[in-house]
Amino acid sequence: MKDPLENWLEELLEKHEGEQMTDKQSRILRAAVEVFAEKGYSGAATSEIAQRAGVAEGTIFRHYRTKKDLLYSIVAPFVARLIEPFVLRGLYPLIDKPHATFEGFVRGLLDNRIAFAEKNIKVIRILLQEVPFHPELREQFLSKVADRVLQKMSRVVNHYREQGQIVDLPALTTIRMVGSTLFGYLLVRFLLAPKEWNDAQEREATIQFILHGISRKD
Amino acid sequence: MKDPLENWLEELLEKHEGEQMTDKQSRILRAAVEVFAEKGYSGAATSEIAQRAGVAEGTIFRHYRTKKDLLYSIVAPFVARLIEPFVLRGLYPLIDKPHATFEGFVRGLLDNRIAFAEKNIKVIRILLQEVPFHPELREQFLSKVADRVLQKMSRVVNHYREQGQIVDLPALTTIRMVGSTLFGYLLVRFLLAPKEWNDAQEREATIQFILHGISRKD
DNA sequence: ATAAAAAGTGAGTAATCACTCATTTATTAA
DNA sequence: TTAATAAATGAGTGATTACTCACTTTTTAT
């Protein structure tokens, strides 16, 4: 793997099943990530995954009972474990020891999410592509992410609201709008990837937009 | 079709090829929209589309040379024609005769996009699902939507900026952030569809967020 | 060194896929 | 009514699919 940022895969490979994993098994996982990301679950053939991994097709089914098992072995840990400890682990410092200012919190959040997106683009892509077609994934995603993250976030947002730093709105509404803005930033930067992109400037504008909106106050 | 809002399909059915369309042909299109939306392109079997349409499988291929042709006959007109005249047609009143205030413009834009999303959820869903796997679609989408819409929008945004109503930022940055917020609103409302949703309140909060951000000015 | 267990193989299988085509049914024109 | 044209059919086709299994190779334990 040339991309040094994709350490999530390494973590997955090491921790998988608690036991160690053979060379071929890890190549299957890497190839599966590639093909699923390129063609989607339905469009991905196990024969192609085997070919790219340089193993016999039967080897895949020695380790994963079905093709769906293979998908889940990639995505489920990402949802259940990477989102839970890894994602939230990154957020805990922000949540448990909140910055004095809401602005500081948002800046930290932005840095944090950028780093996370950089490391995990491929799985995020697979997840976004497959979630519409797999209700189980959607359910797990929503119960893990939505419930846990939203709950934590609500506490943080309420904290700043009680301090009078941010406007008086339901926490979920606030989270939706800050989230939309961050999500839009990440989407444009990583998936649309426009040619002209002054990142420092875009980041600062995003922060200022969240804080003060777009209308001129004079 | 029970849903009276889905008039885009009627328009597609009537205008298709300029010629009139047989009963079976329109039932094929309706069924195809259903199945593509549910299972995605790769996961949708032509046999199932035929079954749901109540026609023989051969009939599908009498009208559409390939399965991909069938997908395009649904999606391409939406991109090329519905986005162009229908989407932009809806925007033209906003663009050509801009409101006196930026706030009025944003309010109009929000109403406009909500109405559009309500009428076209299914195709939007198909488009969002398939765009990652079909470079031609992506290209067409970007060249039609991105280029045309962004160009028009930039003019509007620059207009308000020159009037001093909004902050001094590149038009594309402004559009990204307003767009993110609107997109987030639509996504949460139509795709996540939370149980508790006071729409009037959420709309107003969204407008205020775009205008003034989230920090308290006292 | 040897036996047992685990990992890996690839030809084979039934099911399903998109698509074809000879034939039948419905529509139109005279 | 009849001939010509178009629409619709569904059994059939080869290709591809996910998956199996009898077998070989490699690793581990003694």
Side-chain angles (χ1 to χ4, degrees):
Chain A
M1 203 103 299
K2 297 160 203 164
D3 192 344
L5 293 169
E6 295 203 64
N7 57 2
W8 73 269
L9 230 181
E10 313 306 326
E11 304 216 33
L12 176 61
L13 296 181
E14 283 166 24
K15 298 208 166 189
H16 202 63
E17 315 274 335
E19 287 302 312
Q20 217 154 332
M21 174 182 274
T22 95
D23 170 60
K24 305 230 165 187
Q25 201 169 350
S26 78
R27 291 171 60 186
I28 289 172
L29 276 178
R30 289 171 199 275
V33 168
E34 295 286 333
V35 182
F36 282 148
E38 275 176 33
K39 319 209 163 171
Y41 173 78
S42 285
T46 50
S47 57
E48 184 176 354
I49 294 173
Q51 199 180 353
R52 286 213 212 174
V55 303
E57 204 173 347
T59 311
I60 292 177
F61 294 96
R62 186 140 295 267
H63 296 288
Y64 305 94
R65 276 179 48 258
T66 65
K67 184 185 167 190
K68 203 158 232 172
D69 271 13
L70 178 56
L71 172 71
Y72 288 174
S73 80
I74 292 167
V75 174
F78 181 79
V79 174
R81 286 205 283 280
L82 291 175
I83 292 262
E84 225 273 88
F86 289 73
V87 176
L88 285 183
R89 180 203 296 163
L91 285 175
Y92 284 143
L94 295 169
I95 289 171
D96 293 334
K97 284 183 262 169
H99 292 69
T101 65
F102 177 72
E103 176 170 349
F105 172 72
V106 173
R107 287 187 189 275
L109 189 61
L110 181 61
D111 290 346
N112 185 279
R113 292 302 83 186
I114 289 172
F116 176 73
E118 271 174 346
K119 286 184 194 160
N120 301 287
I121 317 181
K122 280 186 189 163
V123 222
I124 291 173
R125 196 172 245 137
I126 295 178
L127 202 61
L128 290 177
Q129 283 167 4
E130 296 309 323
V131 139
F133 309 125
H134 304 264
E136 331 83 78
L137 278 185
R138 191 163 49 241
E139 205 172 319
Q140 199 182 3
F141 184 81
L142 287 178
S143 69
K144 294 283 177 187
V145 178
D147 288 1
R148 280 195 80 91
V149 177
L150 287 184
Q151 204 175 327
K152 292 270 180 189
M153 278 294 182
S154 294
R155 277 190 23 231
V156 181
V157 165
N158 285 332
H159 164 76
Y160 291 112
R161 193 187 58 201
E162 283 156 17
Q163 283 200 346
Q165 290 198 41
I166 60 176
V167 294
D168 197 19
L169 282 174
L172 288 183
T173 307
T174 307
I175 293 169
R176 165 171 70 78
M177 291 183 302
V178 176
S180 294
T181 309
L182 291 184
F183 187 72
Y185 167 90
L186 296 171
L187 200 82
V188 171
R189 171 162 172 196
F190 289 110
L191 296 185
L192 299 184
K195 306 156 210 162
E196 301 175 21
W197 183 263
N198 182 335
D199 192 54
Q201 188 179 303
E202 295 293 336
R203 278 201 206 197
E204 190 55 33
T206 304
I207 299 279
Q208 292 303 324
F209 174 71
I210 290 173
L211 295 176
H212 306 118
I214 212 174
S215 73
R216 195 142 190 165
K217 324 166 249 295
D218 292 45
Chain B
M1 203 100 300
K2 296 159 205 166
D3 192 344
L5 292 169
E6 293 205 64
N7 57 1
W8 74 268
L9 230 181
E10 313 305 327
E11 305 216 33
L12 175 62
L13 295 180
E14 284 164 23
K15 299 208 164 186
H16 202 65
E17 315 275 333
E19 288 302 314
Q20 216 152 335
M21 172 182 280
T22 99
D23 170 58
K24 306 231 167 191
Q25 201 167 350
S26 77
R27 290 171 60 186
I28 289 171
L29 276 179
R30 290 171 199 273
V33 168
E34 296 284 335
V35 182
F36 282 149
E38 275 175 32
K39 319 208 163 173
Y41 173 78
S42 285
T46 50
S47 56
E48 184 175 355
I49 295 173
Q51 199 181 352
R52 285 212 211 174
V55 304
E57 204 173 346
T59 310
I60 291 178
F61 294 95
R62 185 140 299 268
H63 296 288
Y64 306 94
R65 277 180 47 260
T66 65
K67 184 185 166 190
K68 203 159 229 169
D69 271 12
L70 177 56
L71 173 70
Y72 288 174
S73 80
I74 291 168
V75 173
F78 180 78
V79 174
R81 285 205 285 280
L82 291 176
I83 291 261
E84 226 275 86
F86 287 72
V87 177
L88 284 183
R89 180 204 296 163
L91 283 175
Y92 283 143
L94 295 170
I95 289 172
D96 293 335
K97 283 183 261 167
H99 293 69
T101 63
F102 177 71
E103 175 169 349
F105 172 72
V106 173
R107 286 186 189 277
L109 188 61
L110 182 60
D111 291 346
N112 184 281
R113 291 303 82 185
I114 288 172
F116 175 73
E118 271 174 346
K119 284 184 194 157
N120 301 287
I121 317 182
K122 279 188 191 164
V123 223
I124 291 173
R125 198 171 244 139
I126 294 178
L127 201 62
L128 289 178
Q129 283 167 5
E130 296 310 323
V131 138
F133 309 124
H134 304 265
E136 330 84 77
L137 278 185
R138 192 165 47 240
E139 206 171 320
Q140 199 183 2
F141 184 81
L142 287 178
S143 70
K144 295 281 178 189
V145 178
D147 289 2
R148 280 194 79 91
V149 176
L150 287 184
Q151 207 175 326
K152 291 270 180 191
M153 278 294 180
S154 293
R155 276 190 23 233
V156 180
V157 165
N158 286 331
H159 164 76
Y160 291 111
R161 194 188 55 201
E162 283 156 16
Q163 284 200 346
Q165 289 199 42
I166 59 177
V167 293
D168 196 19
L169 282 175
L172 288 183
T173 305
T174 307
I175 292 169
R176 166 172 69 79
M177 291 183 301
V178 176
S180 294
T181 309
L182 292 184
F183 187 72
Y185 168 90
L186 297 171
L187 200 81
V188 171
R189 172 164 170 192
F190 288 110
L191 296 185
L192 297 185
K195 306 155 211 166
E196 301 175 22
W197 184 261
N198 182 335
D199 193 53
Q201 186 179 303
E202 295 293 334
R203 278 202 207 198
E204 190 55 32
T206 304
I207 300 279
Q208 292 305 323
F209 174 71
I210 290 174
L211 295 176
H212 305 117
I214 214 178
S215 73
R216 194 140 194 170
K217 326 169 248 297
D218 296 44

